[in-house]
Amino acid sequence: MAVRPRRASDLPAIEAASHDPETLRWLDDTPMDAADRGTSLSRTEEAWRTGRAAPLVVADATTDEPVGIVNLQFRDDAVATVAYSVFPAHRGRGIAPRAVRLLAGWALGELRLTQILLEAAEANTASVRVAEKCGFERVGSRVEPSAEGPHTLLVFACTKA
């Protein structure tokens, strides 16, 4: 598995995954449409250029096929939030924990951040397990409104040793 910048050739897989019912269940993002697809790379480049975020693709190390996405969203010079999604055909293989560990190591090491936050819906047991497998500690929770009614988000943190 590798984590790398997004490319135009990744967009069909990212778009398809954005329509997946399980993805839609847990992420607030709207599914990608043709207009989003047309501006996706420029928005990604802008996020990198301005230092707001590091949106990346998780790729198979052998084939370079995109298998998921991972994004580091900077809150300030010391703290960022990590978000991720594994594409449906690749779930259950330990991809998310490996991607989160890679990104957190890079962020805490090379970028010299002091804390990475990970937020997961309490009912999203797979995402909660990713946080736990990666050594993130639960530091709080909050209730968020949604169309289906309020849900609890668990907040996990990984800090520089």
Side-chain angles (χ1 to χ4, degrees):
M1 189 207 60
V3 177
R4 61 165 172 75
R6 294 181 187 179
R7 302 179 190 142
S9 60
D10 300 323
L11 295 179
I14 293 170
E15 181 179 10
S18 78
H19 292 269
D20 170 62
E22 190 68 11
T23 299
L24 293 170
R25 179 177 176 198
W26 303 116
L27 298 181
D28 292 334
D29 301 337
T30 57
M32 186 181 275
D33 61 19
D36 295 329
R37 188 172 170 180
T39 62
S40 179
L41 288 182
S42 63
R43 285 183 285 117
T44 298
E45 291 165 0
E46 177 72 7
W48 275 100
R49 191 179 59 72
T50 61
R52 288 189 331 264
L56 300 162
V57 161
V58 182
D60 181 285
T62 304
T63 66
D64 200 39
E65 171 192 6
V67 297
I69 55 175
V70 63
N71 189 11
L72 196 62
Q73 299 165 321
F74 300 101
R75 292 193 172 185
D76 56 39
D77 289 342
V79 179
T81 301
V82 64
Y84 50 87
S85 179
V86 175
F87 299 160
H90 304 282
R91 292 182 183 141
R93 299 182 192 168
I95 291 169
R98 289 195 307 265
V100 169
R101 281 189 208 105
L102 272 173
L103 199 63
W106 173 64
L108 295 170
E110 287 186 44
L111 300 182
R112 295 191 171 105
L113 297 180
T114 59
Q115 186 178 56
I116 308 298
L117 299 173
L118 186 157
E119 298 176 340
E122 184 175 46
N124 187 343
T125 55
S127 202
V128 170
R129 287 286 298 136
V130 168
E132 294 168 347
K133 286 179 181 180
C134 293
F136 282 65
E137 293 185 30
R138 185 173 166 187
V139 295
S141 65
R142 69 175 184 279
V143 176
E144 292 280 321
S146 75
E148 297 80 35
H151 66 275
T152 301
L153 280 179
L154 303 180
V155 181
F156 297 86
C158 178
T159 56
K160 192 170 193 168

